[in-house]
Amino acid sequence: MLLPQNVKDQIDRPVVLSEQVTNILQKAIFDGSIKEGEQLVEAELQLSLSVSRSPLREAFRELERRGFVEIKPRRGTFVKGISKKDMTDNTEVRLNLEILAAKSAYLRARDTVFEKMSKIFIQMEKAVKTQDIETLTAVHMDFHNTYIHESENEVLKKFLGILYFRTSWYHSYFYNCRSNYFEGYLLDHETIMKTFGEPDIRSKDLEWVIREHINNGFKEYLSAFKINTKNGYARSKK
């Protein structure tokens, strides 16, 4: 497997090792350094990262929880791919939970959400302008987390947190091949932000805005997925 030669320099010993290893491997999966179907070989990664077996195995388990790898008994740990069904299932659940979170956050902390969104939106604009995919993926999650967090529903936050690991993967995959859609995606988020800025928006109107955004994103993910699959950049079961 291919990891940057300086990857061990990214390890910050005072921070939990397994968490750092998890993030490094997740980033490598996102940017394609580690590809679908590839095995994560413990011995190779121990040398590459200068870590022991224990934090590495903890990282494997966390990556499996996030949906990025599959641990096969007596065979090893393998990177999972993105499939149409995977995206469909994720989007269906995310859609309903996120609408619930947005409605709750609007009623509880509309002003706070709008203020945070406004600041994050500026970061999104900069990332789009510079085509900074890594930053755009991160601030996109921050944007949605404003109302997910302010919903103050711990169950919602937990499940949406898990779903968003996969969603971020779709975003990264999408951004890498559909940069021409960045501006349209920015407009979607601006609409959400402005909706939270309205003091008397109806519940059904807020639901429509969130639903439209997620469904539009889903259509774009599928389009990017089909293009890459056709060109041989992705391999997946339909």
Side-chain angles (χ1 to χ4, degrees):
M1 69 191 70
L2 181 62
L3 288 176
Q5 291 185 351
N6 66 340
V7 72
K8 66 175 67 177
D9 297 332
Q10 299 176 38
I11 296 292
D12 182 7
R13 299 295 169 180
V15 182
V16 178
L17 265 178
S18 61
E19 182 179 337
Q20 294 178 74
V21 174
T22 299
N23 292 334
I24 288 172
L25 293 178
Q26 178 176 304
K27 182 177 182 297
I29 292 171
F30 274 27
D31 65 24
S33 298
I34 304 176
K35 303 184 183 303
E36 174 189 344
E38 189 169 353
Q39 182 177 4
L40 301 182
V41 182
E42 284 188 18
E44 292 181 8
L45 289 172
Q46 283 181 256
L47 288 174
S48 296
L49 300 171
S50 293
V51 297
S52 64
R53 179 179 296 177
S54 180
L56 195 56
R57 289 190 172 182
E58 287 182 38
F60 287 177
R61 287 192 289 270
E62 176 60 21
L63 289 170
E64 183 178 47
R65 187 185 74 85
R66 296 181 184 185
F68 298 132
V69 304
E70 180 180 4
I71 300 175
K72 299 180 180 181
R74 296 181 297 278
R75 291 186 58 192
T77 301
F78 299 85
V79 176
K80 295 176 66 175
I82 296 175
S83 69
K84 179 179 179 180
K85 185 179 188 307
D86 174 53
M87 287 189 284
T88 302
D89 291 348
N90 183 290
T91 301
E92 181 179 6
V93 177
R94 176 194 164 202
L95 178 63
N96 288 284
L97 293 184
E98 201 161 317
I99 286 172
L100 181 59
K103 288 181 177 180
S104 179
Y106 183 87
L107 293 175
R108 299 174 68 93
R110 182 189 65 80
D111 290 339
T112 300
V113 173
F114 177 69
E115 182 180 350
K116 289 180 178 179
M117 276 185 177
S118 299
K119 293 177 180 178
I120 295 171
F121 186 74
I122 294 173
Q123 294 177 281
M124 294 180 75
E125 287 183 308
K126 291 180 180 178
V128 167
K129 186 176 181 179
T130 59
Q131 301 283 289
D132 185 346
I133 295 172
E134 184 176 348
T135 298
L136 187 56
T137 300
V139 295
H140 176 268
M141 180 179 286
D142 290 340
F143 185 92
H144 286 269
N145 274 338
T146 56
Y147 54 85
I148 293 171
H149 176 75
E150 294 297 340
S151 71
E152 294 190 5
N153 185 315
E154 295 304 317
V155 175
L156 268 179
K157 287 159 67 174
K158 176 182 178 181
F159 283 100
L160 280 169
I162 294 173
L163 288 172
Y164 254 92
F165 284 122
R166 292 290 290 188
T167 301
S168 291
W169 195 6
Y170 308 154
H171 283 312
S172 181
Y173 186 86
F174 162 73
Y175 292 150
N176 274 297
C177 63
R178 294 296 297 275
S179 59
N180 61 315
Y181 186 69
F182 281 1
E183 296 295 338
Y185 219 57
L186 204 56
L187 286 174
D188 266 12
H189 289 86
E190 185 176 23
T191 300
I192 295 174
M193 178 183 67
K194 288 181 177 179
T195 301
F196 270 91
E198 294 289 337
D200 299 307
I201 198 75
R202 294 180 300 176
S203 177
K204 65 178 183 179
D205 291 332
L206 177 60
E207 176 178 341
W208 183 85
V209 168
I210 300 297
R211 186 180 297 278
E212 280 295 294
H213 168 61
I214 294 177
N215 282 334
N216 285 342
F218 176 64
K219 292 174 184 176
E220 292 299 324
Y221 300 156
L222 283 182
S223 178
F225 176 76
K226 289 176 182 177
I227 290 172
N228 274 2
T229 303
K230 182 178 179 180
N231 291 322
Y233 301 135
R235 304 176 307 281
S236 184
K237 296 178 181 178
K238 294 183 179 180

